Every structure is written in C-alpha cells, then in structure tokens.
Amino acid sequence: MKKLKIIALVLVGMGIVGAIVAYKMYNMPHKNFATEKADFELTAQAIFDEFNADETAATTKYVTHDQTIQITGFVANVSQDNDSTTTIGVSATAGEAAIANCSLAPEFVAEAASLKTGDPITIKGQCTGFMGLIDPAVMFIRCAPIK
C-alpha cells in the first residue's frame, strides 16, 4: 500500500510539473522581429529567385529554423484580409507585381496606412514558404517595417 502511495505521489508531481511547463510554453512571448537581428538580409528579388529555383533548399534555409529575414524592395500594394490581417506586397522594382507578401504584426498595422505604392521598403519577419501556383510569392508573417 505504501508503494502505491509513493507511485501516485510521483505521478501527481510529474503531472503538476508537466502542466507548469506547458503553461509557460503556451504563454511564451513571440519573437519581436522589429528588434531581432536579421539572420538574412536580401532583396525581395533575391529570395524570390531562390525559392523559384529550388523551393526545397530555400525552405530548409529560410523556413525550418525560425529565421529572422529582412527584405528590401518596393511597396506593390497594401491590403487588409477578411480576418483584419494587413499585408504588404513587396516587389523587386516600383510598379511591378508583388513577389513577397508580408503580413504585419498587429502592433505595426498603423504604419501601413502611410505607405504608398512604389515607396521603397525594408521589412523583417518570419518566412513561411512559397506560394507558386497563381501569383507566385514568398510569404512572411509577423512582419515589422524597418525605418
């Protein structure tokens, strides 16, 4: 009987520790890309060309390790999705179609209002991959425009 109590106490203790760890992991703050040092600094054209040439290698390089990517280009468009996500389309040269779509982190949405098509832009965020079917573009999330 004493052995059973010890096992029960150990299991309860392990459950409590597991719950605490899970709670801490769930509430861990997201990486702030505005203040993070960029792991890679590229032009929008350069990262687009890498994904277009070899998507698997580019995904391994930019996506799988939660890298901070900084790209430069020109504002192609600013749009707001149905779920209130603001996205900046970045092109290689002014007046062209977007080759990178950067969804802004909520704290930077107000800055998007001042952007105009053709403005030069530098933006940091997390690359999530390449959408290449209809309008090919490299996708970024939690982005922060850099001043």
Side-chain angles (χ1 to χ4, degrees):
M1 204 59 181
K2 194 171 189 172
K3 197 176 195 180
L4 191 58
K5 282 184 181 180
I6 291 172
I7 292 172
L9 284 174
V10 168
L11 289 175
V12 168
M14 287 173 53
I16 291 171
V17 169
I20 291 170
V21 169
Y23 176 79
K24 294 259 185 199
M25 294 289 288
Y26 181 77
N27 290 305
M28 188 180 338
H30 286 292
K31 186 188 265 190
N32 183 348
F33 289 102
T35 59
E36 285 287 319
K37 182 183 179 312
D39 296 305
F40 294 97
E41 295 181 18
L42 308 118
T43 64
Q45 187 67 55
I47 195 166
F48 177 83
D49 289 345
E50 281 193 56
F51 272 96
N52 208 25
D54 187 350
E55 186 175 350
T56 304
T59 298
T60 301
K61 183 176 181 180
Y62 298 116
V63 179
T64 57
H65 303 293
D66 193 27
Q67 308 278 2
T68 300
I69 312 296
Q70 178 175 309
I71 62 168
T72 57
F74 296 88
V75 175
N77 57 57
V78 178
S79 63
Q80 192 166 28
D81 301 337
N82 292 337
D83 65 350
S84 298
T85 301
T86 300
T87 302
I88 299 173
V90 180
S91 63
T93 57
E96 287 188 357
I99 56 174
N101 289 322
C102 306
S103 296
L104 295 180
E107 60 268 26
F108 299 106
V109 170
E111 292 181 35
S114 65
L115 296 173
K116 295 175 187 63
T117 300
D119 285 351
I121 189 167
T122 299
I123 194 163
K124 283 197 277 189
Q126 179 183 7
C127 183
T128 59
F130 186 68
M131 299 287 285
L133 294 175
I134 298 170
D135 292 323
V138 182
M139 308 303 284
F140 293 86
I141 59 170
R142 297 195 334 249
C143 294
I146 305 304
K147 295 178 179 20

